[in-house]
Amino acid sequence: MDKPKVVLGVSGGIAAYKACELLRRLTESGHDVRVVPTASALHFVGAATWSALSGNPVSTEVWDDVHEVPHVRIGQHADLVVVAPATADTLAKAAHGLADDLLTNTLLTARCPVVFAPAMHTEMWEHPATQENVATLRRRGAVVIEPAVGRLTGVDTGKGRLPDPGEIFEVCRRVLARGVSGPDLVGRHVVVSAGGTREPLDPVRFLGNRSSGKQGYALARTAAARGARVTLIAANASLPDPAGVDVVPVGTAVQLREAVLKAAADADAVVMAAAVADFRPETYAAGKIKKKDGQDPEPVVLVRNPDILAEISSERARPGQVIVGFAAETDDVLANGRSKLDRKGCDLLVVNEVGERKTFGSEENEAVVLGADGSETPVPHGPKEDLADTVWDLVVGRLS
Ligand SMILES: Cc1cc2nc3c(=O)[nH]c(=O)nc-3n(C[C@H](O)[C@H](O)[C@H](O)COP(=O)(O)O)c2cc1C
């Protein structure tokens, strides 16, 4: 089988060097990558680097190898075009259909999915001109990844940083996997909770669970690749921030509830993938609980945590908001799942069987998605991203 053809457009931002890592990941995972830098990009990383790392010729202009009509062919043959970093200038040119170099010509001739990963100073990103250009590109079906917040060129800090190249790679992988299905969550805000809450007993101990957060992060990553604005409420997950996703870290169930209610106020869908503790210790010891010679330990009294899924399902923040829950069951999986779905009042419930070596921390999952309308969608054993995409397919069906 032919390798998928990816065009990596690189424009003239300080983050151009990070595109080398993205290029590496793309080539090492079996993609045929043609790098098309702008002339400005070559001030940051030279053509020799792009050519050596990609194994393909590199040019910035339409006037090289004219007999091969590269200004048309490169775009026509691409399965994916990703521009990383995308400067304010390149976004403006793309939004307005300018075609004065090889990259902008390629963007006009490509009929495959297009991903932009903008990176620039906060002022440039927030400028209404850039924001309107981004809105135009999104409206036309491009995936424009929200920049990250962090250190920018020089001493400045703010929004505008290129997301981690590994996470841009994950977006590319998902967009390629979905092909021309297109970003069907553009203009939607989705909230995902992930990880496992920790209920503190004292400053060093807590009651927790085995959830790694990988399923919730896969949901956030896939939603971003489908064009959604994503808020990820992350409970104690030590995973890299998915590209373009607004991550809100929380610790306990009570903190998770607050963050979910706040983010859900204007959300089209809320997916509760986090493992939330049903109970928490009634008291919190301000100092470390000590062993006392000859004495039995004090019993730990537990009190109920709020039932967030039931609460947001019964009091929807917006009409038509779609709510999805997760149920990890150890036995009688489907029957327990159906009764949980009825009790909670959500629209969809993803039911999976868990155990010591099942689901928690693994890269793969297998589940059945139960619908309040009586539907049952089995998702065979596979990557957590596949289950995530099935969830979004079902959500999209309910949103429209
Ligand atoms: C040191 C330096 C860093 C720059 N970093 C960025 C950047 O991160 N994002 C951006 O939009 N422009 C940045 N610029 C400005 C662009 O290079 C300039 O707008 C250029 O015309 C972009 O051309 P291109 O879009 O064809 O690559 C930077 C310029 C310099 C000199």
Side-chain angles (χ1 to χ4, degrees):
M1 234 171 64
D2 280 351
K3 290 178 175 182
K5 288 188 166 45
V6 176
V7 173
L8 171 59
V10 183
S11 51
I14 196 80
Y17 72 96
K18 293 188 188 171
C20 300
E21 167 73 16
L22 176 59
L23 172 56
R24 257 258 133 83
R25 292 203 182 220
L26 286 164
T27 51
E28 282 173 5
S29 54
H31 300 89
D32 178 14
V33 188
R34 176 84 192 233
V35 183
V36 183
T38 63
S40 303
L42 296 187
H43 285 289
F44 296 93
V45 179
T49 301
W50 302 122
S51 192
L53 288 179
S54 68
N56 275 318
V58 166
S59 69
T60 62
E61 300 301 328
V62 295
W63 306 113
D64 297 332
D65 303 314
V66 175
H67 63 288
E68 288 175 354
V69 247
H71 75 287
V72 179
R73 296 282 177 264
I74 294 175
Q76 278 178 336
H77 291 154
D79 296 301
L80 173 78
V81 178
V82 50
V83 185
T87 56
D89 177 63
T90 291
L91 291 172
K93 284 182 180 168
H96 291 274
L98 299 190
D100 62 353
D101 63 6
L102 190 55
L103 176 57
T104 45
N105 276 269
T106 300
L107 286 166
L108 283 186
T109 49
R111 292 296 174 268
C112 57
V114 178
V115 174
F116 291 94
M120 63 200 70
H121 261 76
T122 312
E123 292 84 349
M124 292 174 91
W125 173 249
E126 288 177 348
H127 195 284
T130 305
Q131 287 301 305
E132 279 171 34
N133 291 332
V134 167
T136 301
L137 293 167
R138 283 183 174 150
R139 201 171 53 247
R140 289 194 197 129
V143 172
V144 184
I145 302 172
E146 284 290 306
V149 175
R151 183 80 188 265
L152 305 169
T153 319
V155 294
D156 298 345
T157 298
K159 186 163 183 174
R161 193 176 155 84
L162 190 76
D164 179 64
E167 290 299 320
I168 300 174
F169 168 69
E170 291 300 331
V171 172
C172 294
R173 226 167 45 84
R174 292 320 294 174
V175 171
L176 261 171
R178 283 179 51 76
V180 287
S181 312
D184 51 3
L185 285 168
V186 170
R188 302 292 190 180
H189 176 210
V190 303
V191 177
V192 177
S193 73
T197 61
R198 289 181 183 175
E199 310 299 327
L201 279 159
D202 68 15
V204 292
R205 303 184 182 94
F206 57 82
L207 299 181
N209 60 66
R210 293 177 186 273
S211 179
S212 65
K214 286 180 180 169
Q215 184 61 65
Y217 274 63
L219 280 153
R221 191 179 291 126
T222 48
R226 291 168 78 148
R229 176 161 75 86
V230 186
T231 307
L232 175 63
I233 319 282
N236 309 298
S238 22
L239 297 168
D241 289 357
V245 168
D246 185 16
V247 181
V248 181
V250 294
T252 65
V254 169
Q255 289 166 355
L256 190 131
R257 173 180 174 272
E258 269 168 36
V260 166
L261 292 186
K262 185 164 172 231
D266 71 344
D268 297 286
V270 183
V271 181
M272 293 287 293
V276 183
D278 292 327
F279 307 102
R280 65 177 182 277
E282 186 180 38
T283 52
Y284 171 73
K288 188 180 169 197
I289 300 166
K290 299 265 192 234
K291 250 189 329 224
K292 289 187 192 129
D293 281 345
Q295 285 184 25
D296 287 338
E298 291 289 321
V300 175
V301 179
L302 299 177
V303 292
R304 260 179 190 281
N305 267 330
D307 187 336
I308 309 167
L309 181 57
E311 181 178 350
I312 60 170
S313 300
S314 69
E315 295 163 38
R316 309 256 169 159
R318 296 177 67 178
Q321 188 176 63
V322 179
I323 312 273
V324 185
F326 269 69
E329 301 288 347
T330 48
D331 51 351
D332 231 349
V333 176
L334 279 187
N336 283 334
R338 186 56 72 188
S339 105
K340 180 167 176 178
L341 175 69
D342 293 343
R343 253 187 353 265
K344 304 283 179 181
C346 50
D347 302 289
L348 295 164
L349 190 79
V350 183
V351 190
N352 51 27
E353 194 176 343
V354 292
E356 285 266 334
R357 273 178 293 281
K358 271 187 178 160
T359 300
F360 287 128
S362 97
E363 303 299 332
E364 307 210 308
N365 211 343
E366 180 181 345
V368 178
V369 188
L370 303 177
D373 54 4
S375 62
E376 261 181 38
T377 311
V379 185
H381 189 79
K384 287 184 170 173
E385 273 84 6
D386 288 357
L387 171 56
D389 264 329
T390 304
V391 170
W392 294 125
D393 289 343
L394 295 167
V395 168
V396 167
R398 279 154 181 79
L399 282 173
S400 52

